[in-house]
Amino acid sequence: MCGIVGIYNNPEAGKLAYLCLYALQHRGQESGGITTSTGTELHTHKAMGMVNDIFHEKELAALTGPHAIGQVRYSTAGTSELKNAQPFVIDFIGGNAAPTSLALGCGPLPPKPLVLGGSESRLARLVDFAQGPLAVVHNGNLTNALALRKQLEKEGAVFQSTMDTEVIMHLAARSSRRTLEEKITDALSQVTGAYCLVFLSKDKMIAARDPKGFRPLVLGRKDETYVAASETCALDLIDAQFVRDVEPGEIVIWDKQGQRSLKPFAGEKQKGHCIFEYVYFARPDSHIFGRDVYEIRKGFGRQLAKEHPAVADMVIPVPDSGMPAAIGYAEESGLPFQMGLIRNHYVGRTFIEPEDAIRHFGVKIKLNPVRELLQGKRVVVVDDSIVRGTTCMKIVKMLRERGGAKEVHVRISSPPIAWPCFYGINTPTRKELIAAHQSVEEIR
């Protein structure tokens, strides 16, 4: 899962992209990057870590130009290292008298042209787009990337990363189509799986969404500035107006003529929106898949209260992801809503634990029960999901032992997760999923 953004036609495009990535930080914390276009060249800065650690005044000042794309990454395909950070940038090099080659990455070009298969005459047909860079950001997973990569390598392609995104760039480079949008369409016609993509060339920005629409991608506008982003919360931060979703199978192009769209893959009738975007991934203040996330999550809680009521004194959430569902549960059940667990919002990943191995240290450092509130009380604790079951077990023990709760009634606002996902979620194997091999009663 990642967060992506594209800004077209704004003198401060790089800064706007930076702000949008701030709003999308919840979608990825491993790396981040921005590429801007001046109209003649691309500038890229990317690094491992969080947005506020990667970009400072110096880096943002160097990201000049009226167009920009950016990404915050959580790796689900490809290892978590700098070579896999995005935007991913390539250079098409060539001209009328020479075959076209493809240089990948942000470093110096190879001393000799790298020809990615095919005849010289076929490659020469790329001339209209042969001279210039292309950057891309991607949210999602391609399910046939490994097979395509093996075939491309057999034909002489050299890969610089382990990302599935690079497969798309190789396919676009090999395409015999004439325009950039045609090359991208050709490449995307060969891949399967989930993708939301934003491409940036010297003078053009292109957004694309897979035919099933697995992941969200929205369009916004601020005066004459066009925006594409994973969620509407990014639009809100820069005062851009939400226009609509990018439709499943749609490709949207921005250039000097304005905005236009193609629908080469819109024929697929069955859609596949990821329910976990509503359960956990998206920010509650976002509007995705045509619905408000906050109201969806409250609705989960209301339905949960109807199906599984409890005789209790209060409802408490597991913050922050369980908050809206807990509010909905409290409203429907008539029980008071209380903040019985307090979250430490300043905790990142910690690798230093006490030598005496304090039990449940990872949960303790993030959550703490309010004993004065919980002591001797019957508590309904609402969370968004159970994956392995380890965290839930620790929270229940914490509420009893440290919070002093008399009874703990656990309510989960999503169905049991029994199968892995291959479309952009780092879901464990079935062996690790508690609901894959235990019934709800056994989990209880």
Side-chain angles (χ1 to χ4, degrees):
M1 181 186 71
C2 303
I4 61 174
V5 63
I7 307 288
Y8 190 85
N9 193 37
N10 191 288
E12 295 189 307
K15 292 181 179 179
L16 291 181
Y18 163 74
L19 292 173
C20 288
L21 292 185
Y22 244 122
L24 298 172
Q25 185 74 84
H26 61 286
R27 298 189 69 88
Q29 300 86 40
E30 292 181 8
S31 65
I34 294 173
T35 294
T36 60
S37 171
T38 63
T40 57
E41 57 185 353
L42 300 189
H43 300 286
T44 298
H45 178 71
K46 56 185 178 180
M48 304 302 292
M50 308 279 274
V51 172
N52 63 334
D53 296 322
I54 296 170
F55 299 101
H56 304 94
E57 187 175 344
K58 178 182 176 182
E59 288 80 14
L60 290 172
L63 292 170
T64 57
H67 320 308
I69 62 173
Q71 187 213 53
V72 286
R73 183 170 188 255
Y74 178 73
S75 58
T76 54
T79 52
S80 179
E81 52 186 318
L82 184 57
K83 70 178 182 180
N84 289 331
Q86 295 186 18
F88 189 69
V89 184
I90 67 172
D91 273 300
F92 285 89
I93 309 162
N96 291 316
T100 302
S101 62
L102 174 68
L104 297 155
C106 299
L109 302 180
K112 294 182 180 180
L114 172 65
V115 180
L116 298 178
S119 67
E120 183 171 325
S121 60
R122 182 180 71 83
L123 288 166
R125 290 199 295 272
L126 295 172
V127 167
D128 74 309
F129 180 59
Q131 299 175 351
L134 178 67
V136 66
V137 289
H138 176 200
N139 177 33
N141 267 23
L142 305 181
T143 54
N144 66 338
L146 183 59
L148 287 171
R149 182 181 178 122
K150 288 181 178 178
Q151 182 60 38
L152 287 164
E153 288 174 336
K154 285 181 181 179
E155 297 173 4
V158 177
F159 283 78
Q160 306 296 312
S161 74
T162 57
M163 291 183 296
D164 54 355
T165 313
E166 190 176 351
V167 169
I168 297 172
M169 301 299 258
H170 274 277
L171 293 173
R174 287 167 169 262
S175 174
S176 61
R177 304 291 178 84
R178 188 180 62 85
T179 65
L180 176 56
E181 52 264 39
E182 288 173 345
K183 296 179 192 302
I184 291 172
T185 301
D186 189 18
L188 296 182
S189 68
Q190 301 174 63
V191 303
T192 58
Y195 58 80
C196 287
L197 299 153
V198 185
F199 299 86
L200 183 66
S201 69
K202 290 185 294 186
D203 57 0
K204 187 177 293 188
M205 188 172 82
I206 297 176
R209 191 174 175 207
D210 67 75
K212 287 187 177 293
F214 284 107
R215 302 270 156 236
L217 189 61
V218 299
L219 299 178
R221 188 167 180 177
K222 181 179 181 181
D223 300 322
E224 297 305 311
T225 299
Y226 298 93
V227 186
S230 293
E231 297 181 32
T232 57
C233 62
L235 306 181
D236 296 336
L237 187 57
I238 62 171
D239 293 324
Q241 182 180 1
F242 169 66
V243 177
R244 64 177 178 87
D245 291 344
V246 176
E247 295 181 19
E250 183 181 18
I251 295 176
V252 185
I253 304 109
W254 296 270
D255 55 22
K256 293 178 181 178
Q257 283 70 49
Q259 176 181 305
R260 65 185 189 279
S261 72
L262 309 171
K263 297 182 181 179
F265 313 119
E268 188 160 351
K269 295 180 180 180
Q270 186 177 1
K271 307 307 176 190
H273 298 330
C274 174
I275 188 62
F276 230 64
E277 292 283 353
Y278 279 144
V279 171
Y280 176 77
F281 288 148
R283 257 177 48 169
D285 54 329
S286 284
H287 180 93
I288 61 169
F289 303 148
R291 303 282 298 276
D292 290 326
V293 177
Y294 182 78
E295 287 302 320
I296 288 285
R297 290 180 186 170
K298 277 188 66 179
F300 288 163
R302 293 190 191 99
Q303 187 64 26
L304 192 58
K306 292 176 183 177
E307 295 181 10
H308 299 284
V311 178
D313 299 308
M314 69 183 73
V315 178
I316 68 170
V318 176
D320 289 324
S321 57
M323 194 86 70
I327 293 172
Y329 193 100
E331 288 180 356
E332 183 65 33
S333 64
L335 296 172
F337 173 88
Q338 298 282 3
M339 290 298 297
L341 285 167
I342 303 302
R343 180 185 172 190
N344 182 349
H345 287 267
Y346 301 96
V347 174
R349 291 184 176 180
T350 177
F351 300 97
I352 303 173
E353 296 191 12
E355 291 184 5
D356 59 354
I358 295 175
R359 284 194 309 155
H360 316 322
F361 179 80
V363 171
K364 282 183 175 182
I365 201 171
K366 294 178 182 178
L367 297 171
N368 197 42
V370 183
R371 187 173 182 86
E372 293 78 6
L373 180 67
L374 302 175
Q375 180 73 43
K377 297 294 175 42
R378 301 166 298 176
V379 177
V380 179
V381 57
V382 180
D383 204 357
D384 63 279
S385 60
I386 295 178
V387 181
R388 294 178 178 88
T390 53
T391 299
C392 185
M393 179 177 65
K394 292 172 183 177
I395 289 173
V396 171
K397 288 185 177 181
M398 179 191 294
L399 290 170
R400 289 183 182 277
E401 295 174 3
R402 297 177 59 200
K406 179 181 178 182
E407 298 177 5
V408 179
H409 302 267
V410 177
R411 296 294 183 267
I412 305 298
S413 66
S414 73
I417 303 168
W419 296 90
C421 171
F422 305 101
Y423 300 101
I425 304 176
N426 192 22
T427 312
T429 62
R430 283 204 82 208
K431 183 179 179 181
E432 296 176 274
L433 294 171
I434 190 169
H437 51 86
Q438 293 189 33
S439 67
V440 171
E441 184 60 31
E442 289 171 332
I443 295 171
R444 281 160 51 94

